[in-house]
Amino acid sequence: MEDSLEKLLESESSEMKDELSMEIDPPFKENHATAEDWRKALHNVVPAVVVLRTTACRAFDTESAGASYATGFVVDKRRGIILTNRHVVKPGPVVAEATFVNREETPVYPIYRDPVHDFGFFRYDPAAIQFLSYEEIPLAPEAACVGLEIRVVGNDSGEKISILAGTLARLDRDAPHYKKDGYNDFNTFYMQAASGTKGGSSGSPVIDWQGRAIALNAGSKTSSASAFFFPLERVVRALNFLQKGRASGQDNWEAVSIPRGTLQTTFVHKGFDETRRLGLQTETEQLVRHASPLSETGMLVVDSVVPGGPAYNHLEPGDVLVRMNGEVTTQFLKMETLLDDSVGQNVELQFERGGTPLTVQLKVEDLHSITPNHFLEVSGAVIHPLSYQQARNFRFHCGLVYVSEPGYMLYRAGVPRHAIIKKLARKQALVVGPTLEVIKGVDVGEQVANGITNMEDSSSDNGNGNASVAERVIEPTLVMFEVYVPSSCMLDGVHSQHFVGTGVIIYHSQDMGLVAVDKNTVAISASDVMLSFAAFPIEIPGEVVFLHPVHNYAIIAYDPSALGATGASLVRAAQLLPEPGLHRGESVYLVGLSRSLQTTSRKSVVTNPCAALNISSADSPRYRATNMEVIELDTDFGSNFSGVLTDEEGRVKAIWGSFSTQIKYGVNSSEDHQFVRGIPIHSISQVLDKIISGAKAKGPSLLINGVTRPMPLVRILEVELYPTLLSKARSFGLNNNWIQALAKKDPVRRQVLRVKGCLAGSKAENLLEQGDMVLAINKKPVTCFQDVEDACHALDLSDNMEEKLQLTIFRQGCEIEVVVGTDIRDGNGTKRVINWCGCFVQEPHPAVRALGFLPEEGHGVYVTRWSHGSPVHRYGLYALQWIVEVNGKPTPDLDAFVNVTKEIEDGEFVRVRTIHLNGKPRVLTLKQDLHYWPTWELRFDPETSMWQRKTIKSLATGDNNNNKNNNSL
């Protein structure tokens, strides 16, 4: 069973407990240690143990971006040196603080992380700790022995401080194997004890009764109480180098060279019983046994060799090491000492392969030279030289171009994490530096060919054998969508970065092409849309021009000239047939595209032409279709198939679109789900007419293929409604006259509309109440959502500027008249977002307002997402809440928020007041980090029809125009 890497505790809250929880074992008397001895030892040790709160700001090497808690302890008080694990210090960029037992907090900075072994050092300013008396913990690796009683003092499972007891059981355990594609220690023994440590105790000192650290806690096995400790001999050596490199009174830390040598070879310790099976000669075994003063029981055997390393093509798995530089070598410590003292020099290895003695001279390589210390960040991707750790895991040469995080650009290209980039833009990409030069030469939006190596669906056509007339007619109008949402544009609660669906061309001319598709495929305007045409094998970009604020459809534009003369002649627009609407029992053809762009059709019958949608809110508010009636069929192709509904001549009556919802399982469990229904073409046809009419726009305009066109405006009543049968309405007291009037108005549905809720901040919010029955608008009975839309549309057609509707409602047995205002919405959707300290801040979008609550304090700005490894992750400022104050200053809107935050400097603590979606207020603090997380704004510019990114405040510039962050470690 594999050992599981000790899970670092990732706190969901930055709040820390005030009490100190110490768990002292009951007295246990032995020859040299009494309960009083342990009490004195712990009294000295506990003040020197610190809680480390670390944030990996970027994915790097074996580690992902994220925030966690761990433990460290002071090993040099005068110089301010803290010892902890390598996986705590992180191999890449890290921001960290240490909290002492008296709750004094100080920033700490990495000064060394061993390239192989699981230890590293932070430094801090000793003068910053003013109110605590403490001493450094001495290191005594020689004191470790089997049977030694120990205590592990640390932040176990987030309990600060916990003390766990144990007894050393082994000093020669194999280094634990954590995961196949992550960090693993090697070429060392570990100690083992049954102390049962858990997440957060990484880096804890393992002490004896004299208060000396005899080992460093590193990992544990989740299936048992076993804990694994790293021996301290190599730690003491590294600490001595650090101490010699910096005098105790020296102000500045300078880089200290700690020699580390390697053959890029992994050895394992095998007992003599196994080495015999590998062919070890009896004479050699006798030699080794007599040469070892420790009654040696085994030898070092080659386990793996990294390609391109000093030992490649010289050593092989199964080779049994006998001597190094003439000395019998059976222990990891002796081997590593020799290698560290021989960097750049040759060493002689004598070994046996299948019983045959062999000798080889190998040059010892500098281990730090194959340990990455810089990275390239482009479009969210993190790229750096392949480390020795990952070269071991995946058997590649060190230094190749390695993807530790694909980001947006590489994600779109299908490049996964742990990939090696061999070519970029048809040029060799063997090291990171030249790769950067290739990237600089690529224009925005340009497609380039890549060659990658991954270090780690087809659809069936269920259609009729012979294509129908409708299928043949509609095929040239169908388009397959592939939509990507950049991680920096995850607005409005959009739940994925990748969507696929089918749309239909509704307009095609020499200058402009327009395609209609559902909003579950194109959810927000800040999307990269690629269109593939059924009639012609080509893929071209599309541009989002209209997102209906209520109904589940979007309109996408494309440039017909990009199709070429042949493609433009083969592609055509569908004929739309908005009237008459579909009725129950009518035959239609469901036509769409498979993933392989094959047209598929099926003749179906309409079972319900006016099924009212009832989609509940998701856990994270996002767009959901409301106030819509959709079409249901007797047969379809499943929940992933979209397309159009046509008559026998191929005229489009509806689009067959995808809807997003969330199914809840139990109290805290839910799962994203989608279903498909027909969306009548009527509303789409109306919007299309406004776009192509060329009439002068009253409000915002569209820029489509360089031509300015009017932006269709939609007047809406910001109220969510749902239908109730008249039979139910009668039981609520609705009188017979109204029941007869509504039944006469709509003898098929025989229903009345009721208020489910008003959008927070809407003009109807304080006028209509949940449960109100809407009987008439402007004295005309209404029974369906279309009646309400028609009433709103009539306001636009009238000559007067009246923006209100007179509603007749039935509330608690009384019929009353209410005048309610309407709102005009365009098709742009959210047009602005601010990224501050790693959180995405925007104005509350309609799905948030539909919950019916906004903060009273002048509203506020809404946190829609947050980034791993950011300050908001570190301090617990998560999504689904409003920021209403920053440092005591109100932030009612984005402009106010920018004005407040741009005055905050790097490293400055900020007090933030938030209101959660459930109305619960909270105050928290976080520290701004402009080095890795500058403040920037993304805004849609209607003049250019482009999203523009602008840096508001960064560390490097001090102005608001540029962002030149130094991404070196």
Side-chain angles (χ1 to χ4, degrees):
M1 179 180 296
E2 286 189 351
D3 303 321
S4 172
L5 179 60
E6 179 179 51
K7 299 285 193 298
L8 299 179
L9 177 65
E10 178 170 326
S11 176
E12 287 299 320
S13 169
S14 62
E15 299 176 354
M16 303 178 68
K17 297 179 182 177
D18 294 327
E19 69 272 18
L20 175 64
S21 170
M22 292 208 304
E23 183 179 307
I24 307 295
D25 287 343
F28 176 77
K29 187 160 185 174
E30 56 185 16
N31 294 334
H32 57 281
T34 64
E36 182 63 19
D37 293 330
W38 279 113
R39 190 193 66 79
K40 291 180 180 178
L42 293 171
H43 177 77
N44 293 330
V45 166
V46 167
V49 177
V50 298
V51 174
L52 294 172
R53 182 160 57 179
T54 62
T55 302
C57 305
R58 297 291 189 276
F60 191 89
D61 196 11
T62 57
E63 304 293 325
S64 300
S68 57
Y69 281 103
T71 306
F73 58 98
V74 178
V75 293
D76 190 320
K77 178 182 177 181
R78 290 182 302 168
R79 295 175 177 84
I81 301 178
I82 292 172
L83 172 63
T84 187
N85 291 128
R86 176 192 186 273
H87 71 261
V88 176
V89 178
K90 309 295 182 187
V94 63
V95 174
E97 287 103 19
T99 303
F100 285 76
V101 70
N102 69 335
R103 313 300 293 184
E104 286 191 81
E105 184 181 79
T106 181
V108 295
Y109 308 94
I111 53 175
Y112 183 73
R113 67 266 281 178
D114 192 87
V116 170
H117 299 316
D118 200 6
F119 75 90
F121 296 97
F122 282 115
R123 68 172 175 88
Y124 70 99
D125 181 5
I129 308 304
Q130 303 178 15
F131 305 102
L132 178 67
S133 176
Y134 66 99
E135 297 297 331
E136 62 196 40
I137 297 177
L139 305 181
E142 71 283 353
C145 61
V146 174
L148 178 68
E149 188 179 358
I150 58 169
R151 298 290 187 272
V152 181
V153 184
N155 171 35
D156 189 73
S157 292
E159 299 297 333
K160 318 166 187 58
I161 298 283
S162 291
I163 301 173
L164 302 175
T167 302
L168 283 185
R170 293 182 62 183
L171 304 183
D172 59 351
R173 188 199 188 280
D174 292 339
H177 184 273
Y178 297 128
K179 56 192 301 188
K180 65 179 181 179
D181 59 354
Y183 169 75
N184 295 291
D185 207 341
F186 59 96
N187 287 353
T188 183
F189 284 126
Y190 267 62
M191 303 177 191
Q192 179 176 330
S195 65
T197 56
K198 295 292 187 298
S201 61
S202 292
S204 300
V206 181
I207 65 168
D208 64 4
W209 65 274
Q210 298 181 55
R212 302 175 299 178
I214 56 94
L216 178 67
N217 185 49
S220 64
K221 180 178 287 187
T222 57
S223 60
S224 68
S226 297
F228 313 124
F229 311 137
F230 180 74
L232 296 180
E233 287 85 358
R234 310 306 290 165
V235 175
V236 171
R237 173 181 179 271
L239 179 60
N240 288 336
F241 273 100
L242 292 175
Q243 291 170 329
K244 292 177 183 177
R246 182 183 187 273
S248 60
Q250 187 176 339
D251 292 333
N252 297 322
W253 280 88
E254 296 182 359
V256 175
S257 175
I258 301 178
R260 291 286 276 115
T262 181
L263 299 176
Q264 293 194 34
T265 304
T266 302
F267 291 86
V268 292
H269 191 269
K270 299 289 186 180
F272 284 118
D273 56 337
E274 190 162 352
T275 58
R276 292 189 204 107
R277 294 195 293 270
L278 290 172
L280 183 70
Q281 298 181 19
T282 303
E283 296 80 4
T284 305
E285 180 181 340
Q286 291 176 348
L287 170 69
V288 171
R289 284 182 179 273
H290 287 104
S292 174
L294 301 175
S295 301
E296 184 56 72
T297 60
M299 301 175 69
L300 298 180
V301 178
V302 174
D303 182 65
S304 65
V305 180
V306 174
Y312 190 59
N313 292 331
H314 297 287
L315 297 179
E316 296 179 1
D319 290 349
V320 182
L321 179 64
V322 180
R323 292 185 178 91
M324 292 185 69
N325 282 357
E327 296 186 22
V328 174
T329 304
T330 62
Q331 294 289 316
F332 291 114
L333 183 59
K334 184 175 182 179
M335 177 187 70
E336 283 215 326
T337 301
L338 178 60
L339 293 177
D340 289 346
D341 294 341
S342 305
V343 176
Q345 304 174 23
N346 287 341
V347 294
E348 181 183 84
L349 274 67
Q350 294 175 262
F351 58 95
E352 287 191 9
R353 179 179 298 163
T356 303
L358 297 171
T359 301
V360 66
Q361 294 278 340
L362 301 177
K363 186 175 182 179
V364 179
E365 188 174 15
D366 181 3
L367 185 53
H368 294 297
S369 69
I370 56 174
T371 302
N373 62 358
H374 63 281
F375 68 90
L376 168 66
E377 185 173 19
V378 53
S379 189
V382 177
I383 304 169
H384 60 74
L386 182 66
S387 70
Y388 181 24
Q389 284 285 341
Q390 295 294 52
R392 285 182 64 248
N393 291 335
F394 301 111
R395 291 193 53 78
F396 277 86
H397 290 251
C398 292
L400 297 178
V401 181
Y402 169 72
V403 178
S404 62
E405 176 61 46
Y408 178 63
M409 179 181 72
L410 297 182
Y411 165 76
R412 278 195 63 185
V415 179
R417 192 180 179 214
H418 305 319
I420 296 293
I421 298 178
K422 293 184 175 180
K423 287 185 178 181
L424 183 66
R426 297 185 176 88
K427 296 181 181 179
Q428 291 290 338
L430 299 180
V431 292
V432 172
T435 302
L436 173 59
E437 297 304 316
V438 174
I439 292 175
K440 286 181 177 179
V442 178
D443 293 332
V444 175
E446 181 180 350
Q447 293 187 348
V448 297
N450 304 315
I452 67 167
T453 298
N454 189 356
M455 298 175 25
E456 310 236 48
D457 132 280
S458 65
S459 300
S460 60
D461 188 345
N462 296 322
N464 300 323
N466 298 319
S468 63
V469 174
E471 180 179 324
R472 292 196 300 269
V473 170
I474 208 66
E475 181 177 16
T477 73
L478 295 180
V479 178
M480 178 65 73
F481 279 76
E482 188 161 18
V483 181
Y484 292 90
V485 181
S487 55
S488 60
C489 303
M490 299 284 283
L491 312 178
D492 296 355
V494 61
H495 61 286
S496 178
Q497 284 192 262
H498 185 212
F499 300 92
V500 176
T502 302
V504 59
I505 300 172
I506 57 176
Y507 184 81
H508 180 75
S509 69
Q510 183 178 355
D511 302 320
M512 178 177 68
L514 297 176
V515 187
V517 69
D518 59 75
K519 283 179 65 174
N520 194 35
T521 301
V522 180
I524 58 175
S525 58
S527 302
D528 286 327
V529 181
M530 299 303 295
L531 307 178
S532 296
F533 295 79
F536 186 69
I538 191 172
E539 185 181 58
I540 63 173
E543 174 189 347
V544 182
V545 297
F546 183 82
L547 293 166
H548 197 283
V550 178
H551 294 331
N552 183 31
Y553 72 86
I555 295 178
I556 314 301
Y558 64 88
D559 184 359
S561 65
L563 297 170
T566 303
S569 65
L570 295 175
V571 169
R572 67 173 184 82
Q575 181 179 355
L576 306 185
L577 189 63
E579 299 293 344
L582 290 171
H583 59 267
R584 184 178 181 184
E586 184 174 352
S587 295
V588 292
Y589 284 86
L590 169 57
V591 189
L593 295 176
S594 67
R595 292 295 175 90
S596 57
L597 285 180
Q598 298 297 311
T599 307
T600 302
S601 69
R602 168 173 288 167
K603 190 173 183 179
S604 301
V605 174
V606 175
T607 57
N608 190 346
C610 50
L613 283 176
N614 183 19
I615 302 176
S616 58
S617 297
D619 295 336
S620 178
R622 64 191 192 217
Y623 169 76
R624 60 187 178 92
T626 59
N627 296 353
M628 275 191 70
E629 290 180 342
V630 294
I631 301 161
E632 295 179 343
L633 303 180
D634 62 341
T635 57
D636 57 48
F637 288 106
S639 61
N640 295 317
F641 184 87
S642 55
V644 294
L645 300 182
T646 76
D647 62 9
E648 292 185 355
E649 287 76 32
R651 295 174 296 183
V652 175
K653 305 279 286 186
I655 64 172
W656 190 246
S658 177
F659 293 77
S660 175
T661 185
Q662 205 171 62
I663 299 177
K664 297 186 182 297
Y665 301 98
V667 179
N668 298 316
S669 179
S670 59
E671 181 179 304
D672 288 332
H673 177 68
Q674 66 181 30
F675 62 93
V676 283
R677 296 291 186 271
I679 304 170
I681 204 69
H682 174 77
S683 176
I684 300 174
S685 179
Q686 285 184 332
V687 171
L688 174 63
D689 290 342
K690 293 181 180 179
I691 294 176
I692 65 178
S693 65
K696 185 177 180 181
K698 297 180 181 178
S701 59
L702 289 170
L703 185 65
I704 304 177
N705 300 333
V707 178
T708 301
R709 297 179 180 273
M711 164 64 80
L713 301 177
V714 180
R715 185 179 296 277
I716 60 174
L717 180 66
E718 291 195 320
V719 178
E720 185 174 352
L721 304 167
Y722 68 99
T724 296
L725 294 176
L726 291 178
S727 57
K728 296 286 186 182
R730 187 188 295 274
S731 64
F732 282 101
L734 185 62
N735 64 58
N736 190 60
N737 290 337
W738 272 113
I739 289 178
Q740 290 182 358
L742 296 174
K744 181 179 179 181
K745 170 71 169 56
D746 192 343
V748 176
R749 281 172 280 204
R750 292 182 292 182
Q751 63 185 23
V752 63
L753 296 180
R754 301 189 71 182
V755 175
K756 186 174 183 179
C758 300
L759 272 64
S762 69
K763 297 176 181 177
E765 182 178 19
N766 297 318
L767 298 174
L768 298 179
E769 299 178 1
Q770 186 177 11
D772 285 351
M773 296 183 190
V774 181
L775 306 177
I777 297 179
N778 296 336
K779 302 300 183 178
K780 296 181 180 179
V782 295
T783 60
C784 62
F785 303 130
Q786 187 61 50
D787 291 341
V788 179
E789 291 188 19
D790 290 342
C792 292
H793 185 59
L795 292 180
D796 293 328
L797 299 178
S798 62
D799 295 332
N800 58 45
M801 299 302 294
E802 182 62 50
E803 297 182 352
K804 297 181 179 181
L805 298 174
Q806 183 179 357
L807 272 60
T808 304
I809 65 172
F810 183 76
R811 177 187 299 167
Q812 297 179 356
C814 299
E815 180 183 327
I816 60 177
E817 300 290 329
V818 179
V819 177
V820 180
T822 58
D823 290 278
I824 294 180
R825 297 284 180 261
D826 60 31
N828 283 326
T830 298
K831 298 182 283 292
R832 186 184 183 193
V833 64
I834 309 293
N835 187 292
W836 176 70
C837 290
C839 69
F840 295 82
V841 179
Q842 64 171 87
E843 297 288 354
H845 55 89
V848 174
R849 297 173 54 224
L851 299 178
F853 170 78
L854 286 175
E856 296 179 357
E857 299 91 338
H859 297 170
V861 292
Y862 178 69
V863 181
T864 189
R865 287 184 64 83
W866 55 272
S867 301
H868 285 275
S870 65
V872 297
H873 181 194
R874 182 181 183 82
Y875 294 97
L877 177 56
Y878 298 116
L880 310 186
Q881 55 188 323
W882 289 273
I883 298 176
V884 295
E885 285 183 7
V886 174
N887 284 342
K889 298 179 181 178
T891 56
D893 53 40
L894 289 177
D895 288 333
F897 181 80
V898 169
N899 291 334
V900 173
T901 55
K902 71 180 180 182
E903 302 301 326
I904 302 169
E905 301 300 328
D906 178 65
E908 184 178 335
F909 270 97
V910 186
R911 188 175 70 257
V912 182
R913 185 168 184 266
T914 66
I915 304 291
H916 196 269
L917 282 181
N918 60 14
K920 182 179 179 180
R922 181 186 176 204
V923 175
L924 56 86
T925 59
L926 61 84
K927 184 162 67 173
Q928 180 161 269
D929 178 3
L930 293 176
H931 179 69
Y932 293 108
W933 301 96
T935 305
W936 50 263
E937 173 187 68
L938 197 65
R939 188 195 291 257
F940 181 75
D941 181 6
E943 297 296 326
T944 61
S945 192
M946 295 284 290
W947 285 83
Q948 304 289 343
R949 175 166 165 165
K950 172 187 174 184
T951 297
I952 296 173
K953 191 177 185 70
S954 66
L955 178 63
T957 61
D959 59 45
N960 297 341
N961 298 318
N962 297 300
N963 182 10
K964 301 177 181 178
N965 283 340
N966 177 12
N967 282 333
S968 61
L969 304 184

